[in-house]
Amino acid sequence: MTKKQQLRNRADRLWFLKYLQERCEVCGETATQVHHFFPKGLYPSVRYSELNAISLCKRCHFFHHQRGDPTIHKTIIEKRGQKWYNQLKEESSKKITQTISYYEDIIAGL
């Protein structure tokens, strides 16, 4: 594993720990997952954004990823609001360069 991969893995774990909330934002059950509303692989500029961190229970996370349940994202948008979605969407379009120093800065900020 390269140094860059190690740093990305560490940043991912710190992001998870920082943004995991007690309750699922969709159903209110105990949250065990932090979901990226905009997929981290497709939108690297919001991979570590607080706006993109959605706490979900295992069931809701499974329903979204494995069953393609559109009500999960719909419920999140309804609860967080269109302003939140528009801000996240704008942030997601920014270009970033994922260098070692980028990940070091992310880790320092988390």
Side-chain angles (χ1 to χ4, degrees):
M1 185 178 297
T2 68
K3 181 176 182 173
K4 185 173 161 182
Q5 290 169 322
Q6 290 172 347
L7 290 169
R8 182 175 54 236
N9 288 344
R10 183 170 179 213
D12 286 350
R13 182 71 182 146
L14 290 171
W15 179 84
F16 173 88
L17 292 171
K18 183 172 184 174
Y19 295 118
L20 178 63
Q21 301 297 310
E22 185 176 328
R23 298 281 165 210
C24 174
E25 290 190 42
V26 175
C27 71
E29 293 296 320
T30 301
T32 59
Q33 313 288 314
V34 183
H35 171 67
H36 290 85
F37 189 86
F38 280 31
K40 63 186 177 186
L42 297 175
Y43 302 94
S45 62
V46 291
R47 182 180 188 124
Y48 302 109
S49 171
E50 179 178 8
L51 290 174
N52 201 28
I54 311 296
S55 290
L56 297 176
C57 66
K58 275 187 172 181
R59 181 181 173 276
C60 288
H61 202 233
F62 173 83
F63 275 39
H64 171 69
H65 282 290
Q66 303 303 319
R67 294 193 178 169
D69 184 346
T71 63
I72 303 299
H73 272 198
K74 182 179 180 228
T75 301
I76 293 164
I77 292 171
E78 287 172 358
K79 288 184 175 187
R80 289 195 171 193
Q82 194 63 43
K83 184 178 177 182
W84 161 80
Y85 179 79
N86 292 342
Q87 186 178 356
L88 180 59
K89 187 174 181 179
E90 182 179 328
E91 193 177 318
S92 74
S93 66
K94 295 177 182 173
K95 302 295 179 205
I96 62 163
T97 304
Q98 299 169 337
T99 62
I100 287 174
S101 63
Y102 165 78
Y103 288 110
E104 290 171 339
D105 290 346
I106 291 292
I107 290 168
L110 290 171

